[in-house]
């Protein structure tokens, strides 16, 4: 009999993914620590996630600021934050995002390997590329790389990291003394020249887990070659099935087994004891958002603009391009644009305000928003789990600390009772937890 298959739940810890009305709501509802120290909510959410048996925590890396004031108080750099959280937790996986566009691969290999050591084999790397020209200019670049070039750079970057990490070992020599050995990689490529060897010893899992957000063709190709878990965007179960098929085809083409890399979509839950309670929460948060000010920026994140007279007008679908026509030129994440475009076309008649809420105000980028009771949410997760197309969910809570605390108290016990979620911590190294699931 095969081993029981459980849902992976990962916590996305950046408050930029929260509802934009959350700061005022949290102020009035005891929403956690003083935001003058942006690490404190990360610490509190991380410890709550471990209490709720979450597999891992993601932290996104905001490599520059999109404006001032910042929506989450200026988040700490993920690797630095996880160095602290590693000492405050015992089981929670720690998946740090870093941009292959801006980092040097040898330096990042050292940093991530050090977090892997500190956490005793719980570290992961969420490999992303970046898109902002303004951010690129913070890293001695004139402008950002085009889409094709940045994926080529990311592929070479991950080749280097993997080589540096895998050409290391701890040996017990004939004299019974334990020593660390590491080899040169002597990489000479289009974007990087790295001699090696890496000067940080391996952890119990050997090297950090590699996660990647592969939504388009180039991204899926990189994921199929390197990733051990993929952060996806699927708003329907059919989209999840379609993505699973596309990823599996790419995996097989790379000589890897179909189903060997779990696809884990993002999900934003608005929950309450009843559906009415969840809807009340959403409306209370919405009341704190100035939609007239937000609306012009609904598509600016993708380098696109649209015109409108009133936020209550039907959204002008004819003003936005089909994803296929801009997949190689779109600013920001293609998967997010595809998710928003699909949502707009699947919901005819949505207003400018609705699109602004979905794309910006209600958090979680373009990931699926669920509004309903605790029991309805558990039923929903059970349906996705039964399909077998996803490995779990990356949860982005609209009210950060409040939302995680409520989820651990109300939803986790229901999931355990349903038999689809672990009732104890997973103590294996992080890579083993996702392997083959």
């Amino acid at each position: 009999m095969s081993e029981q298959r459980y849902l992976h739940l990962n916590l996305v810890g950046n408050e930029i993914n929260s509802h934009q009305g959350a700061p005022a709501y949290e102020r009035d509802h005891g929403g956690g620590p003083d935001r003058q120290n942006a690490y404190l909510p990360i610490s509190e959410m991380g410890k709550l996630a471990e209490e709720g048996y979450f597999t891992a925590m993601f932290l996104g890396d905001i490599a520059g600021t999109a404006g001032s004031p910042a929506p989450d108080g200026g988040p700490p750099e993920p690797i630095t934050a996880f160095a602290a959280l590693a000492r405050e937790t015992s089981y929670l996986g720690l998946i740090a995002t870093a941009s292959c566009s801006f980092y040097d691969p040898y330096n990042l290999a050292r940093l991530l390997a050090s977090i892997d050591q500190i956490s005793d084999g719980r570290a992961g790397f969420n490999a992303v590329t970046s898109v902002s020209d303004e951010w690129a200019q913070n890293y001695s670049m004139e402008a950002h790389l085009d889409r094709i070039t940045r994926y080529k750079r990311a592929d070479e970057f991950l080749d280097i990291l993997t080589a540096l990490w895998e050409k290391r070992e701890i040996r017990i020599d004939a004299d019974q003394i334990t020593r660390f050995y590491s080899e040169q990689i002597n990489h000479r490529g289009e974007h990087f020249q790295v001699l090696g060897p890496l000067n940080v010893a391996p952890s119990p899992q050997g090297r950090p887990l590699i996660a990647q957000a592969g939504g388009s063709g180039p991204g899926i190709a990189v994921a199929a070659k390197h990733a051990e878990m993929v952060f996806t965007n699927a708003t329907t179960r059919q989209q999840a099935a379609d993505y699973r098929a596309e990823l599996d085809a790419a995996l097989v083409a790379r000589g890897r087994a179909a189903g060997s890399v779990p696809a884990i979509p993002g999900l934003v839950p608005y929950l309450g004891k009843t559906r009415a309670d969840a809807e009340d929460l959403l409306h209370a948060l919405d009341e704190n958002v100035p939609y007239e000010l937000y609306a012009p920026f609904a598509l600016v994140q993708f380098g696109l603009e649209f015109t409108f007279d009133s936020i209550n007008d039907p959204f002008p679908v004819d003003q936005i391009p089909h994803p296929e026509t801009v997949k190689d030129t779109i600013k920001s994440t293609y998967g997010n644009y595809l998710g928003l475009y699909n949502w707009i076309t699947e919901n005819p008649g949505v207003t400018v305000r609705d699109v602004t809420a979905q794309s910006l105000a209600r958090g979680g980028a373009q990931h699926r928003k669920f509004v309903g009771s605790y029991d309805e949410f558990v039923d929903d997760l059970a349906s996705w789990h039964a399909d077998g197309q996803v490995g779990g969910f990356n949860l982005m809570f609209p009210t950060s600390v409040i939302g995680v605390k409520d989820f651990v108290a109300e939803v986790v016990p229901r999931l355990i009772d349903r038999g689809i979620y672990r009732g104890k911590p997973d103590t294996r190294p992080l890579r083993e937890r996702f392997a083959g699931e």
Side-chain angles (χ1 to χ4, degrees):
M1 181 179 293
S2 62
E3 184 179 352
Q4 171 68 43
R5 184 172 59 89
Y6 295 108
L7 278 172
H8 288 292
L9 295 182
N10 301 317
L11 171 64
V12 181
N14 298 81
E15 289 188 293
I16 197 170
N17 291 298
S18 299
H19 194 293
Q20 296 302 300
Y25 180 91
E26 291 171 345
R27 177 198 62 209
D28 298 334
H29 293 80
D34 185 347
R35 292 306 190 263
Q36 290 184 6
N37 184 333
Y39 173 70
L40 293 180
I42 291 172
S43 172
E44 189 163 346
M45 285 189 287
K47 287 182 281 190
L48 285 167
E50 178 151 291
E51 181 183 332
Y53 310 134
F54 279 53
T55 302
M57 182 176 186
F58 271 93
L59 279 180
D61 188 18
I62 312 302
T65 183
S68 182
D72 57 351
E77 187 279 319
I79 298 173
T80 308
F82 277 150
L85 192 60
R87 311 312 297 167
E88 297 184 314
T89 55
S90 300
Y91 309 111
L92 185 69
L94 308 171
I95 304 176
T97 301
S99 175
C100 297
S101 301
F102 300 144
Y103 266 97
D104 173 87
Y106 188 88
N107 190 42
L108 186 61
R110 293 183 68 227
L111 292 169
L112 291 167
S114 298
I115 292 295
D116 209 24
Q117 282 273 18
I118 293 168
S119 65
D120 202 30
R122 292 185 282 134
F125 168 39
N126 182 31
V128 301
T129 63
S130 301
V131 295
S132 169
D133 288 342
E134 289 79 8
W135 293 2
Q137 290 165 17
N138 291 331
Y139 295 87
S140 302
M141 301 168 66
E142 291 297 323
H144 204 281
L145 303 172
D146 65 83
R147 183 176 181 79
I148 299 300
T149 303
R150 69 177 185 259
Y151 273 111
K152 288 181 178 179
R153 177 186 166 104
D155 181 37
E156 184 179 343
F157 195 110
L158 288 166
D159 281 340
I160 295 168
L161 257 63
T162 301
L164 288 168
W165 286 336
E166 291 186 347
K167 289 185 177 294
R168 308 172 296 160
E169 63 176 320
I170 300 292
R171 298 182 202 159
I172 301 176
D173 288 335
D175 59 6
Q176 300 304 302
I177 294 177
T178 300
R179 294 183 175 90
F180 165 52
Y181 291 83
S182 186
E183 301 176 28
Q184 292 181 355
I185 65 169
N186 195 23
H187 175 90
R188 295 291 182 270
E190 181 180 355
H191 301 282
F192 305 105
Q193 293 79 47
V194 180
L195 178 63
L198 188 65
N199 63 343
V200 181
S203 77
Q205 69 172 347
R207 62 167 176 79
L209 170 124
I210 296 176
Q212 204 260 338
S216 62
I220 290 173
V222 172
K225 180 179 177 182
H226 298 284
E228 295 160 290
M229 186 262 282
V230 182
F231 193 145
T232 68
N233 188 333
T235 57
T236 68
R237 290 155 67 186
Q238 184 58 53
Q239 287 178 13
D242 293 343
Y243 182 85
R244 181 74 262 171
E246 189 173 1
L247 177 61
D248 281 346
L251 287 167
V252 171
R254 293 293 316 182
R256 303 175 70 185
S260 59
V261 176
I264 302 186
L267 178 57
V268 184
Y270 290 85
L271 306 175
K273 291 183 179 179
T274 66
R275 180 188 290 267
D277 291 339
E279 291 172 346
D280 287 345
L281 170 63
L282 179 58
H283 294 151
L285 289 163
D286 281 350
E287 288 177 357
N288 293 313
V289 177
Y291 277 96
E292 291 82 358
L293 296 177
Y294 271 55
F297 302 100
L299 296 182
V300 167
Q301 59 190 310
F302 303 110
L304 303 171
E305 297 182 4
F306 70 103
T307 57
F308 62 93
D309 294 322
S310 167
I311 62 168
N312 296 314
D313 288 345
F315 187 83
V317 180
D318 60 325
Q319 292 187 32
I320 61 173
H322 190 280
E324 284 296 322
T325 67
V326 294
K327 66 187 306 181
D328 292 331
T329 59
I330 197 75
K331 298 291 184 181
S332 190
T333 306
Y334 173 75
N336 279 337
Y337 180 67
L338 180 62
L340 179 61
Y341 185 90
N342 288 339
W343 181 84
I344 292 171
T345 56
E346 290 163 2
N347 293 274
V350 292
T351 65
V352 172
R353 184 184 188 279
D354 294 331
V355 172
T356 303
Q358 176 71 13
S359 65
L360 283 178
R362 290 178 176 171
Q366 317 318 317
H367 294 287
R368 182 167 70 109
K369 278 77 171 174
F370 180 95
V371 182
S373 70
Y374 304 128
D375 290 326
E376 288 171 332
F377 187 62
V378 170
D379 287 342
D380 180 84
L381 296 195
S383 297
W384 285 66
H385 180 65
D387 290 343
Q389 309 296 340
V390 301
F393 296 92
N394 296 315
L395 297 179
M396 292 162 267
F397 290 93
T399 55
S400 59
V401 174
I402 293 176
V404 181
K405 187 178 297 184
D406 183 56
F407 185 91
V408 170
E410 297 289 349
V411 178
V412 166
R414 288 170 165 86
L415 290 171
I416 295 170
D417 289 345
R418 186 66 68 92
I420 60 174
Y421 190 63
R422 290 181 182 276
K424 59 182 181 181
D426 191 338
T427 60
R428 295 174 294 173
L430 184 61
R431 291 177 63 207
E432 293 182 25
R433 302 179 200 180
F434 288 105
E437 296 190 22

